[in-house]
Amino acid sequence: MQSDVRRVVTGASIGNAVEWFDFAIYGFLATFIAAHFFPPGDETAGLLSTFAIFAAAFFVRPLGGFVFGPLGDRIGRQKVLALVILLMSAATLGIGVLPTYDTVGVLAPVLLLALRCLQGFSAGGEYGGGAVYLAEFADDARRGVTVTFMAWSGVLGFLLGSVTVTVLQTVLPAAAMESYGWRLPFLIAGPLGLVGLYIRLRLGDTPQFEKLSSAAEIARSPLREALSTSWRQILQVIGLFVVFNIGYYVVFTFLPTYFITTLGFSKADAFLSITLAATVALVLILPLALLSDRIGRRPLLVGGAALFVVLGYPLFLLLNSGSLGAAIAAHCVLAAIESVYVSAAVSAGVELFATRIRFSGFSVGYNLCVALFGGTTPYVVTWLTARTGDAVAPSYYLVAAAVTSLGVALTLRETAGRALARVQQPRATLGTGTGEGETRR
């Protein structure tokens, strides 16, 4: 049984690791992408266009959630997970073999945009699908740590991506990196995705979905049903994940650039800091998720959000103290606080929904929040810093996000240890079937 759980965890989380691996390599290779896919002569314009295409993938994610969420509630979690990792792998591999602007002209950035949108579209079904799949396979007493492998694998994928790019830039001559080296991380992601696809194709669907299917109680229109009966829970997911996303993107994507452009440290210093911060998160997230299984989700959600409210501003002051050691320490503490919140947020969000609409409800809420507060975070905090001339301005955005999520966390009922099969819809379900957990009359 334990080996089955390990296989399920590996199959569900590998796609998320590949997604964050791609996220990292695209960001770290942005200067190379700008040089190869946009007209020469204006490096700044090319770099901005590269990041605009990067952001476009986030705005497509809700569409993926609206498509793959209901599909997962109708045909099964495993089939959708196999489909989305295939799409994601194909898109990532495609970027690695794309012709450049010198070869095909304006078609090059158009193709890059199309592949990034395909990545975002598939990611819209990846995170929610993986979290739901793990939740429905997990033992009730260990559901928190099982589901949180999704968040843990994302940090691992990001770290592997940054390390891969750094190693290539260290090993390869500059000319080789400019010529073909930048393509290699994208080509690596392709086989990784195929391994994930192989694993997922060998998995069965979750016991809860199979039970629902055998009882002919699958929702005919799960998206409409979710929006009609569980819109409050969807709003709760959006609110819960505001600081989840803003904190995550501040710590793992914005701060490495902040170290260089605002604090004046070297690229090596920034790489050291993000590596240590990611390591802190990798060490803390799963033990804290185990703790959430023992004491509940709410204490960690409330505690993590409250720590951001209280310490967000002082930690940014420490970042700006002029000491590299102090800045790295502040970065690691921010990563630790994010780990506290992350360790309970995913499981708490999934546990809000009944089985027949769980994929739809969680995916819609999560992906809407990512589109609004995920990919936009580096841009917003950079704009705030430039607009105000205040180097600690990002902390204001982070604290505001924490206040928002803290308010939502306080409205939640405790869900740790509760049997997922007993989660009922807020009111009578739509369409056919009696509704999960309801009594037949």
Side-chain angles (χ1 to χ4, degrees), residues 13 44 55 123 279 349 375:
S13 58
T44 301
T279 302

Side-chain angles (χ1 to χ4, degrees), residues 21 25 29 92 164-165 168 181-190:
F21 179 89
I25 62 178
L29 294 170
T92 303
T164 299
V165 173
L168 283 174
W182 66 271
R183 295 184 183 271
L184 296 179
F186 293 103
L187 300 179
I188 292 170

Side-chain angles (χ1 to χ4, degrees), residues 21 40 65 106 109 169 248 259 305 394:
F21 179 89
V106 72
Q169 289 181 316
Y248 204 98
F259 260 68

